[in-house]
Amino acid sequence: MVRKLLLSLSMFIVCVSAVKAEYTNGVFLLNEDWFGHTSGSINYYNYDTEEVEYEVYKGANTDKYLGTTSQFAQIFGGKMYIVSKQSYGSNELTGGKLVVADAKTLTHLASLQELDGNDGRSFVGVDTKKGYVGTSGGIYVFDMENYTLGKSVDGVSSTSGDVYSGQVGDMLRYRDGKVYAVVQDVGVVVINPETDCVENTIGLPNIVSLFVTTDGSLYASESGNNVYNFVKINPFTLEYEKIEMPNGMSVQNQWGSWRSSSVVCDINSNTIYFIGTKSSKYISSYDFDSGELVEQFVTVPYGEKGEQIFYGTGLGIDPMSGELMITTTESGYSTHFQRNWIHFVNVKTAEIEKTLRLEDYYWFTAMPVYPDNFEPEISEVSSIELKVGETLSNVFNLRDVVCDKDNNDNLIIVKVASYNNSVCEVTTDADENVSLTGLVEGNTSLTITADSNGKVVRGQINVSVKGNGSGIEEFEATDNAPVEY
């Protein structure tokens, strides 16, 4: 009886240990970690327990490591893409400059030891099959299905051999499907993913960062050579307007030891929060609607044996709650850097509502990374009837029928197509208004495809073309299952 009980208990323990943790209610903290001693690492702040879980990537994978000086990560299409400046070790299966893991469990999926001889910088997902890797010497195509590095993007390269010249910084995919990338001393390059070529360049030699506010506006920031601006870019015309900032304020320049730019966007307004050029001890805010700059929006408290300062990106914002998180270390040298904190800020009151001290260690936190738990949603849309030869203008706007609970709705790529073009012609104008023209009598449907951060869903709208009469009936788009392009 005792023997059977012990056997059952051991089987239970084995089963429990085989269950992978799921990291969906919290925030990841990507760390450079202790250079010269170990690889990069990932900690996780759990909202349920209000505690930090340490070394979760290493805990999820036996004998697997990140690269050296892990600096950037993006969750896209259910996977986390982690970029490090250098590889760690010589085993191509571990410690690469680009590591791919399951976004929920952190289970290791792939690793690239080299990026064509360049230092790793950033990553952006392009579609469900392809991404781009930013490096110190250009941008490269990454095959997400086979985990292989492809050709370089034509029009972006650094031939100087200097990792601090012509670096690629932040990259983002806009709702038009194009990729916009920051290139040091150059500006913003616009990449056509269909050709993997740069089709336009916006010259901003003092560029630092690139971001999109909640209303979908695309901005860059400039900082250096006595130039301190925010630059509003029209992605469709590439015209831009510079907003000169007072007192030499803009997003701090981190090209000298590259880190992802220290700016995040409020989820409820067109306000940004950023670490500015004048201090490493406070967060600034700027409201693009009102033009109000608050230079000292949040000031970090004093440490234990020195002042707290920012390190790495230094801040993040929860895409669901809008809570601002600040990561700090202690100013000084040597053992000062063992002391690290995370602060949670209510952006409505500009008050630090909670502070947590991390375990003493040389974490050198690079950036926060928030889970992507939700798929995009397609709203209910009425079925449509029209007559042969009739054109219904502006039946609906694509932007109005999609949303994503934990991503910017204005970054969702939305497309519409007619199942049978011989029955009904569908057109979309520059403002994403959809118009229909009846061609012959019959029935068809419109398929709406929504791609948000690599997660794709689709819905259908029934269309009936009559010989005479027109009207609208209620129809619910229920086919919201994930699909491939």
Side-chain angles (χ1 to χ4, degrees):
M1 184 72 166
V2 174
R3 186 168 179 269
K4 287 183 179 180
L5 180 62
L6 290 174
L7 179 60
S8 298
L9 181 60
S10 70
M11 290 176 64
F12 174 76
I13 293 172
V14 169
C15 290
V16 169
S17 64
V19 175
K20 289 281 189 180
E22 288 202 356
Y23 302 100
T24 57
N25 191 32
V27 55
F28 299 101
L29 298 168
L30 177 67
N31 306 307
E32 293 181 7
D33 216 296
W34 196 358
F35 179 79
H37 292 77
T38 186
S39 66
S41 64
I42 300 176
N43 295 331
Y44 179 75
Y45 177 76
N46 189 318
Y47 287 162
D48 293 324
T49 64
E50 296 187 345
E51 294 180 350
V52 174
E53 300 170 20
Y54 295 93
E55 304 277 14
V56 290
Y57 178 79
K58 291 178 182 177
N61 301 282
T62 304
D63 298 326
K64 295 287 192 300
Y65 303 89
L66 302 180
T68 298
T69 315
S70 300
Q71 201 67 67
F72 183 90
Q74 182 195 36
I75 291 176
F76 185 86
K79 300 175 184 178
M80 183 184 291
Y81 298 85
I82 307 153
V83 184
S84 301
K85 291 187 175 180
Q86 292 290 325
S87 57
Y88 180 77
S90 57
N91 186 341
E92 66 179 8
L93 298 179
T94 66
K97 294 181 181 179
L98 175 63
V99 170
V100 186
D102 182 276
K104 287 187 177 180
T105 65
L106 292 187
T107 302
H108 176 97
L109 298 174
S111 178
L112 286 185
Q113 192 76 3
E114 270 302 333
L115 299 173
D116 199 24
N118 299 300
D119 281 10
R121 289 293 183 264
S122 56
F123 182 90
V124 65
V126 176
D127 55 36
T128 58
K129 299 180 180 180
K130 179 170 70 174
Y132 289 145
V133 187
T135 74
S136 60
I139 298 173
Y140 292 80
V141 177
F142 181 68
D143 183 334
M144 291 179 172
E145 295 181 306
N146 300 301
Y147 303 123
T148 55
L149 193 71
K151 65 179 182 179
S152 63
V153 170
D154 188 22
V156 187
S157 64
S158 176
T159 59
S160 65
D162 182 358
V163 296
Y164 303 110
S165 175
Q167 305 172 76
V168 174
D170 297 323
M171 301 187 290
L172 61 86
R173 183 189 73 167
Y174 198 66
R175 69 188 189 212
D176 60 358
K178 304 289 179 64
V179 170
Y180 296 76
V182 171
V183 180
Q184 183 186 16
D185 300 325
V186 175
V188 179
V189 297
V190 185
I191 303 169
N192 185 337
E194 294 183 2
T195 62
D196 298 321
C197 295
V198 172
E199 62 178 24
N200 285 292
T201 298
I202 302 170
L204 299 170
N206 297 294
I207 193 167
V208 172
S209 65
L210 194 65
F211 54 90
V212 176
T213 51
T214 190
D215 68 349
S217 297
L218 175 65
Y219 290 91
S221 71
E222 293 184 293
S223 177
N225 299 313
N226 295 316
V227 176
Y228 303 98
N229 297 316
F230 289 116
V231 185
K232 185 174 184 179
I233 301 169
N234 185 325
F236 306 105
T237 65
L238 299 186
E239 296 176 345
Y240 60 86
E241 172 191 1
K242 292 194 175 187
I243 305 168
E244 186 175 351
M245 298 302 293
N247 304 322
M249 282 293 297
S250 187
V251 180
Q252 67 175 348
N253 190 319
Q254 298 199 118
W255 287 118
S257 179
W258 186 82
R259 298 152 188 175
S260 182
S261 59
S262 300
V263 56
V264 294
C265 300
D266 191 285
I267 67 169
N268 297 309
S269 70
N270 294 318
T271 300
I272 59 170
Y273 309 99
F274 62 99
I275 301 174
T277 51
K278 298 181 68 176
S279 176
S280 60
K281 301 167 190 172
Y282 57 76
I283 298 289
S284 302
S285 71
Y286 183 74
D287 185 330
F288 284 101
D289 291 335
S290 68
E292 180 185 10
L293 170 68
V294 181
E295 186 170 326
Q296 297 187 36
F297 180 73
V298 178
T299 301
V300 297
Y302 195 81
E304 294 179 3
K305 297 184 179 180
E307 294 179 310
Q308 288 186 42
I309 59 172
F310 302 111
Y311 187 86
T313 299
L315 73 170
I317 197 161
D318 189 298
M320 292 289 291
S321 69
E323 183 178 56
L324 180 67
M325 186 178 73
I326 301 172
T327 60
T328 62
T329 189
E330 195 168 79
S331 177
Y333 56 92
S334 185
T335 56
H336 283 279
F337 293 120
Q338 291 190 73
R339 290 182 278 276
N340 300 272
W341 295 264
I342 52 178
H343 305 282
F344 297 88
V345 179
N346 183 327
V347 297
K348 294 181 179 179
T349 64
E351 293 181 354
I352 296 175
E353 295 190 329
K354 182 170 55 180
T355 293
L356 187 68
R357 165 82 181 272
L358 276 65
E359 291 181 357
D360 283 5
Y361 180 70
Y362 299 103
W363 295 113
F364 295 107
T365 300
M367 66 181 295
V369 183
Y370 290 88
D372 181 15
N373 294 322
F374 294 94
E375 296 172 349
E377 298 176 4
I378 299 175
S379 305
E380 294 183 7
V381 181
S382 299
S383 62
I384 302 167
E385 287 189 2
L386 70 164
K387 295 182 292 185
V388 173
E390 180 184 14
T391 296
L392 298 180
S393 299
N394 303 337
V395 180
F396 61 91
N397 185 281
L398 290 177
R399 202 56 41 194
D400 292 337
V401 300
V402 295
C403 68
D404 188 332
K405 293 178 182 178
D406 56 2
N407 282 287
N408 188 331
D409 294 346
N410 283 294
L411 289 178
I412 301 174
I413 297 176
V414 196
K415 298 179 181 179
V416 61
S418 174
Y419 180 77
N420 189 339
N421 289 321
S422 65
V423 173
C424 176
E425 181 183 54
V426 55
T427 57
T428 307
D429 65 19
D431 295 321
E432 298 183 287
N433 294 307
V434 176
S435 299
L436 303 177
T437 300
L439 301 178
V440 297
E441 190 168 1
N443 296 314
T444 184
S445 62
L446 304 181
T447 299
I448 298 176
T449 304
D451 175 355
S452 182
N453 202 39
K455 293 183 176 180
V456 182
V457 298
R458 66 181 176 184
Q460 289 186 331
I461 305 171
N462 290 338
V463 177
S464 178
V465 179
K466 304 290 186 179
N468 52 54
S470 65
I472 296 179
E473 301 173 0
E474 289 300 312
F475 173 77
E476 180 179 352
T478 57
D479 186 14
N480 282 2
V483 296
E484 297 291 336
Y485 278 116

